Amino acid sequence: QTVVTQEPSFSVSPGGTVTLTCGLSSGSVSTSYHPSWYQQTPGQAPRTLIYNTNTRSSGVPDRFSGSILGNKAALTITGAQADDESDYYCALYLGVGIFVFGTGTKVTVL
Amino acid sequence: QVQLVQSGAELKKPGSSVKVSCKASGDTLSNYAINWVRQAPGQGLEWMGVFIPFFGTSYYAQKFQGRVTITADESTSTAYMELTSLRSDDTAVYYCALYYYDSATYSYSYWFDPWGQGTLVTVSS
């Protein structure tokens, strides 16, 4: 079974930069997996941040960016703000209609 | 812009079934693939499966094969997720989420947007 791994947690200072990653249990993540990223605050539905590796969803600030770093998908927050404190999930398309979400990263801004 | 509204919270007994609905407004469901994603308390997001109305096909995560059925009624723009043989660890918030299917180019959008507001399903005796 495919497992998609993310860092459990990160702490970043206001105005700082943090990079979250999204890796596969076997193999490398490439653009062919159509990586997407979602932000979720407690009690709310997820919000789409990034799709197709590096395209920002409508209304998403440009301090959020997506990329492939080495063999993983990555989400970078540049100039973190207090309201970026959330859980972040990646999703990968495995083919034949199948998706899998990453384990999620809790980001704290302090 | 399509919007999704899900049915209300459910309390179910172990061994029973639940059927959650997701009503779309603003566009026809045939332009989308309808996914269901769940989140157990304090846990991460878990993709359960998808139904593609244009083709009438569905795909499910291996974990849920045989227990979940995703359908859609295009006349009412409503999608459904039925989960059977409920257990206590099925207690979760269940979300519907769409991705776009372009029948002109036979291509998918491969990301989930929009999302429903979520439906809490509690399984308890």
Side-chain angles (χ1 to χ4, degrees):
Chain A
Q1 184 175 344
T2 301
V3 177
V4 177
T5 304
Q6 299 180 240
E7 298 86 0
S9 63
F10 263 120
S11 182
V12 60
S13 300
T17 295
V18 63
T19 296
L20 317 183
T21 67
C22 173
L24 274 171
S25 55
S26 56
S28 299
V29 178
S30 67
T31 56
S32 299
Y33 287 90
H34 303 277
S36 53
W37 290 89
Y38 304 87
Q39 178 190 51
Q40 188 183 35
T41 52
Q44 299 297 312
R47 168 200 180 197
T48 309
L49 293 177
I50 300 286
Y51 59 89
N52 284 344
T53 305
N54 56 13
T55 303
R56 271 186 301 277
S57 188
S58 176
V60 173
D62 61 6
R63 64 179 181 273
F64 292 94
S65 61
S67 63
I68 298 291
L69 283 182
N71 62 350
K72 298 181 180 182
L75 173 71
T76 299
I77 309 173
T78 304
Q81 299 185 2
D83 61 1
D84 296 335
E85 189 161 293
S86 299
D87 295 325
Y88 292 84
Y89 296 91
C90 65
L92 301 178
Y93 178 65
L94 302 186
V96 198
I98 304 297
F99 282 83
V100 62
F101 281 95
T103 49
T105 298
K106 183 177 183 63
V107 172
T108 303
V109 181
L110 49 74
Chain B
Q1 183 79 340
V2 62
Q3 294 185 315
L4 304 175
V5 177
Q6 298 183 220
S7 50
E10 302 264 12
L11 175 60
K12 293 293 182 179
K13 300 279 190 196
S16 68
S17 300
V18 68
K19 193 169 187 177
V20 182
S21 68
C22 170
K23 184 170 177 60
S25 61
D27 202 352
T28 173
L29 281 180
S30 61
N31 291 333
Y32 298 90
I34 304 151
N35 298 260
W36 287 87
V37 176
R38 77 176 188 181
Q39 187 170 38
Q43 303 301 308
L45 301 173
E46 185 172 31
W47 183 83
M48 300 178 67
V50 62
F51 177 70
I52 307 172
F54 187 85
F55 295 108
T57 56
S58 56
Y59 303 95
Y60 301 117
Q62 189 173 7
K63 174 178 179 176
F64 300 102
Q65 287 275 3
R67 274 213 306 145
V68 67
T69 304
I70 301 173
T71 57
D73 181 344
E74 292 183 63
S75 68
T76 60
S77 295
T78 303
Y80 300 92
M81 185 282 300
E82 183 173 25
L83 188 63
T84 62
S85 303
L86 289 169
R87 309 183 288 255
S88 58
D89 62 359
D90 291 317
T91 294
V93 175
Y94 289 77
Y95 295 100
C96 57
L98 306 183
Y99 59 83
Y100 185 70
Y101 175 66
D102 187 339
S103 58
T105 61
Y106 305 102
S107 62
Y108 297 92
S109 62
Y110 296 119
W111 69 92
F112 305 107
D113 194 18
W115 295 68
Q117 83 277 18
T119 297
L120 175 63
V121 174
T122 303
V123 183
S124 175
S125 55

